[in-house]
């Protein structure tokens, strides 16, 4: 179970979340009340997961959300869910390049490297990710473990230093427990960026066949992963607000959304701490991009296998065994989106990443909503009876919460 939790938390990119979605959620969402968005998201996703993990016993394969939608609502809707997921992951992969490109550019410059436009580094990232996907190269699990432990550790050290020092210039922030602050600004944007922080948690079900006791392991791994991510993001975003002062945090986050974590770390942990965060932020984003790329490639591959898209996409490479054609198509789509950002001169964070992240969040919430409906329909029609909490009440409450998320995000 520990290994499954580790994989899910690593895919969530903890440092990337604190340095990316969190400043944007504060600046364009509900300001000092933003940390409460993680609390709400965690509770709703836990309710969703009760029915989701209960249904894993009846899904014919250890697939993603589209497999559950197909099982509960029919192949047509399952296919539609696959396209929604494909759009969501491609949009998020491209959007993260809006953080990765300038992040790598600043990192190289800080060590005396050449001063080059962000898109040069983004293009290099697209090429490297394409090679990884084409050649079927996986990042070493040990390397990912070291990077994950390091990125979580540096944020926890920052949290501890700020807390032990009594907070920031205004003490500890109280906005996330103040109703007026929680609903201030644009709380829908807060929920949007909070949801982005949990993308990939459904991967626990994918490892069902590899668990010794899946009926106990998968639910526990899912709940532990969600609670761990939710607690980490809630506490760390609250600390970031406290460290900068509740009255100034929105202004600071809006002016420097891509660097506020680094500058805060430097203020409390010194220049060395700032350099560590800067380096790990870039590596965290790369791992995140590679994960989304592999997921998108597999969707193209499966759709090619089923004859929905050209059959060539569903054929593995004869030598590498990789979804090579699918990987190249995913890279092409992402590359075109990066080129569009350059030609349109979009602001990388407030426009490119935010817009594509918004598309991805809406897609993920739609998938979660469809899956909730599929769970309720499946247990009502094909598996009547059984425990009411797992098969009716919790999925129903989760569905209500997800519909609320969708409405407030769209508004």
């Amino acid at each position: 179970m520990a290994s499954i939790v580790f994989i899910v938390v690593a895919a969530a990119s903890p440092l990337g979340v604190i340095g990316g979605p969190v400043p944007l959620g504060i600046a364009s969402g509900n300001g000092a009340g933003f940390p409460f968005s993680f609390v709400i998201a965690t509770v709703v996703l836990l309710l969703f997961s009760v029915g989701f993990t209960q249904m894993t016993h009846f899904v014919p394969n250890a697939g993603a959300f589209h497999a559950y939608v197909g099982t509960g609502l029919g192949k047509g809707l399952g296919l539609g869910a696959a396209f929604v997921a494909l759009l969501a992951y491609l949009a998020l992969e491209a959007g993260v390049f809006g953080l990765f490109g300038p992040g790598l550019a600043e990192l190289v410059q800080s060590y005396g490297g050449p001063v080059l436009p962000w898109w040069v580094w983004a293009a290099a990232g697209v090429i490297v990710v394409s090679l990884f996907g084409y050649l079927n190269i996986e990042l070493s699990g040990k390397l990912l473990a070291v990077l994950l432990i390091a990125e979580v550790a540096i944020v926890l050290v920052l949290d501890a230093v700020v807390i032990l020092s009594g907070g920031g210039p205004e003490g500890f922030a109280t906005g996330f427990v103040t109703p007026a602050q929680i609903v201030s600004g644009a709380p829908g944007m807060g929920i949007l960026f909070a949801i982005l922080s949990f993308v990939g948690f459904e991967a626990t079900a994918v490892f069902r066949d590899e668990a010794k006791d899946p009926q106990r392991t998968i639910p526990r791994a899912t709940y532990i992963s969600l609670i761990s991510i939710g607690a980490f993001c809630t506490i760390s975003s609250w600390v970031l607000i406290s460290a900068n002062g509740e009255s100034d945090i929105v202004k600071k986050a809006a002016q420097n959304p891509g660097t506020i974590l680094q500058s805060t770390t430097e203020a409390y942990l010194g220049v060395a701490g700032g350099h560590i965060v800067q380096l790990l932020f870039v590596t965290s984003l790369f791992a995140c991009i590679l994960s989304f790329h592999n997921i998108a490639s597999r969707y193209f591959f499966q759709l090619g296998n089923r004859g929905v898209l050209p059959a060539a996409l569903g054929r593995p490479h004869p030598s590498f065994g990789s979804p090579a054609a699918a990987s190249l198509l995913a890279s092409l789509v992402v590359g075109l989106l990066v080129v569009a950002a350059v030609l349109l001169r979009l602001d990388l964070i407030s426009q490119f990443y935010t817009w594509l992240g918004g598309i991805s969040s809406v897609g993920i919430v739609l998938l979660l909503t469809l899956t909730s409906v599929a769970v309720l329909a499946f247990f009502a029609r094909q598996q009547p009876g059984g425990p009411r909490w797992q098969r009716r009440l919790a999925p129903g409450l989760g569905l209500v919460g997800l519909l609320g998320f969708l409405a407030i995000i769209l508004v």
Side-chain angles (χ1 to χ4, degrees), residues 19 24 26 35-36 63-64 77 108 149 170 175 196 228 233 245 273 318 320 327 354:
L24 291 171
I26 293 170
F36 192 73
L77 281 174
V108 172
I149 292 171
E170 302 171 11
L196 278 180
S228 299
C233 293
F320 307 123
S327 176
T354 298

Side-chain angles (χ1 to χ4, degrees), residues 8 17 19 27 32 99 120 167 192 194 248 251 253 270 290 298 306 308 322 326 335 348 355 358 368 389 405:
V8 173
V17 167
L99 301 176
V120 173
L192 183 152
D248 292 331
K251 180 181 178 181
L290 186 59
R298 267 61 181 182
R306 298 179 182 181
V308 179
S322 63
L348 296 180
W355 292 351
L368 293 169
W389 171 251
F405 283 175

Side-chain angles (χ1 to χ4, degrees), residues 99-118 121 256 258-260 262 275 278-279 281-282 348-349:
L99 301 176
F100 175 80
L104 182 55
E106 290 178 10
L107 178 64
V108 172
Q109 291 173 33
S110 68
Y111 287 97
V115 178
L116 297 173
W118 73 272
W121 301 109
N256 303 293
T259 59
I260 188 171
Q262 182 186 348
H275 279 294
Q278 187 180 29
L279 173 62
F281 181 63
V282 173
L348 296 180
I349 297 178

Side-chain angles (χ1 to χ4, degrees), residues 90-102:
L90 285 172
L92 194 52
E93 180 187 350
V96 175
F97 272 109
L99 301 176
F100 175 80

Side-chain angles (χ1 to χ4, degrees), residues 255-272:
Q255 290 177 341
N256 303 293
T259 59
I260 188 171
L261 175 61
Q262 182 186 348
S263 61
T264 303
T265 306
E266 288 180 353
Y268 286 87
L269 301 182
V271 176

